[in-house]
Amino acid sequence: MQKPRLFVPAMTVPNGTLVHPAYFLLVGIPGLGPNTHFWLAFPLCCMYALAALGNLAIILIIRVERRLHEPMYLFLAMLSTIDLVLSSVTMPKMVSLFLTGVQEIEFNACLAQMFLIHALSAMESAVLLAMAFDRFVAICHPLRHASVLTGPMVAKIGLAALARGFVLFFPLPFILKRLSYCRKHTVTHSFCLHQDIMKLSCTDTTVNVVYGLFIILSVMGVDSLFVGFSYVLILRAVLELSSRGAALKAFNTCISHLCAVLVFYLPLIGLSVVHRLSGPTSLLHVIMANIYLLLPPVVNPIVYGAKTKEIRSRVFHIFSQNGR
């Protein structure tokens, strides 16, 4: 059987022909053989099952329990929805890659996956910022919490997070399509990322570099600064409380969110630093990228399920009914 052509002309321009690959090749984890990849597929399947079931359970519990229709839990439902979609965009393809060894991903499918990964990450960052604002108002201005974070306001914040992630990252596939790819066609991760695809081009990528840096700084950079500033104000308000018990109780309401923030932003910052300061893509790049994308959808449901009394009691109630 004749193999499909790897490169096909996309369109003709005055300076020549743009060359787009028919496929990109995903590497998986560099340095590991097919046998190791095969066995890694099974824990990855377990991770995906945990992420899917955990996030879906949180969404359904918050949907069913009317007493959980408060800003903190509504934002948590948004976070779980994003994590559910993000894990479904990345993990099944990785499992297929590890199990079957089929590395090919079609050019447009790669661009679509890349857009969803970056857009969903921006939406998650916005929701984490909204949750930090919710905790700030609840602790620093408790009497104004109900009037500030009303149901319509929570809905508007959710729509703004969705719109910002979509609008800012929508140009990425199109500015990647304006490049020619006449070098190697191997994507050095298990999924498609903007900076990874961009490096495969043999044409000028200045626009991609500038725009990519702009949206990273204006989205994740600004969000992380405001989240950090919110927790500085929260910590100051907590330390000013006269009762130590009240201070611990107030700060305890932030523990779950603080864990979600650290799980999301620390790998993101580490990945950005590694990409900017180190040379060609290495095993460290791949491990950091995997942690950044795969860990939050798995960890967040566990943390919130363990730390949130209402969700924990509802889960125990479901299992106790099934056990009868």
Side-chain angles (χ1 to χ4, degrees), residues 72-313:
M72 179 174 66
Y73 299 111
L74 294 176
F75 287 135
L76 175 57
M78 295 178 195
L79 184 69
S80 293
T81 303
I82 293 169
D83 281 340
L84 180 61
V85 178
L86 184 59
S87 60
S88 298
V89 167
T90 54
M91 291 190 188
K93 180 60 182 175
M94 290 182 65
V95 171
S96 174
L97 168 65
F98 288 176
L99 277 178
T100 65
V102 176
Q103 296 178 281
E104 292 85 358
I105 181 170
E106 198 267 330
F107 178 72
N108 288 322
C110 186
L111 295 186
Q113 186 191 55
M114 178 273 306
F115 164 72
L116 288 172
I117 287 174
H118 291 297
L120 289 167
S121 296
M123 295 174 198
E124 181 156 351
S125 179
V127 172
L128 289 173
L129 175 58
M131 296 173 82
F133 178 68
D134 169 70
R135 292 298 84 205
F136 163 73
V137 177
I139 293 174
C140 300
H141 304 282
L143 299 179
R144 298 179 59 190
H145 184 262
S147 60
V148 172
L149 284 164
T150 59
M153 178 57 69
V154 171
K156 289 178 183 178
I157 293 173
L159 288 174
L162 178 66
R164 187 187 69 162
F166 181 84
V167 170
L168 286 180
F169 288 88
F170 186 71
L172 285 186
F174 299 99
I175 62 176
L176 285 172
K177 275 196 168 187
R178 57 180 286 277
L179 302 176
S180 283
Y181 301 89
C182 45
R183 295 178 181 169
K184 61 180 183 178
H185 51 272
T186 302
V187 178
T188 51
H189 291 84
S190 306
F191 34 77
C192 299
L193 298 176
H194 173 252
Q195 62 269 25
D196 211 12
I197 301 173
M198 180 183 65
K199 290 178 181 178
L200 303 179
S201 172
C202 55
T203 48
D204 183 28
T205 59
T206 302
V207 173
N208 301 71
V209 172
V210 172
Y211 188 73
L213 185 60
F214 165 74
I215 54 178
I216 286 295
L217 292 177
S218 61
V219 175
M220 277 72 166
V222 172
D223 288 353
S224 61
L225 287 177
F226 277 113
V227 169
F229 183 62
S230 298
Y231 271 98
V232 169
L233 297 178
I234 289 172
L235 186 59
R236 188 179 70 175
V238 167
L239 293 176
E240 288 177 352
L241 293 174
S242 56
S243 170
R244 184 179 179 184
L248 290 175
K249 184 178 179 180
F251 195 73
N252 189 54
T253 63
C254 302
I255 295 297
S256 299
H257 176 253
L258 192 57
C259 290
V261 167
L262 293 176
V263 166
F264 179 80
Y265 282 111
L266 286 183
L268 173 63
I269 293 170
L271 181 62
S272 300
V273 170
V274 167
H275 269 292
R276 296 293 181 272
L277 298 183
S278 62
T281 303
S282 63
L283 180 60
L284 180 60
H285 292 79
V286 176
I287 292 175
M288 292 293 292
N290 286 339
I291 291 174
Y292 165 61
L293 283 180
L294 304 183
L295 196 61
V298 177
V299 171
N300 287 342
I302 297 174
V303 171
Y304 276 99
K307 291 295 296 180
T308 307
K309 180 181 178 182
E310 291 82 0
I311 294 176
R312 188 170 65 248
S313 61

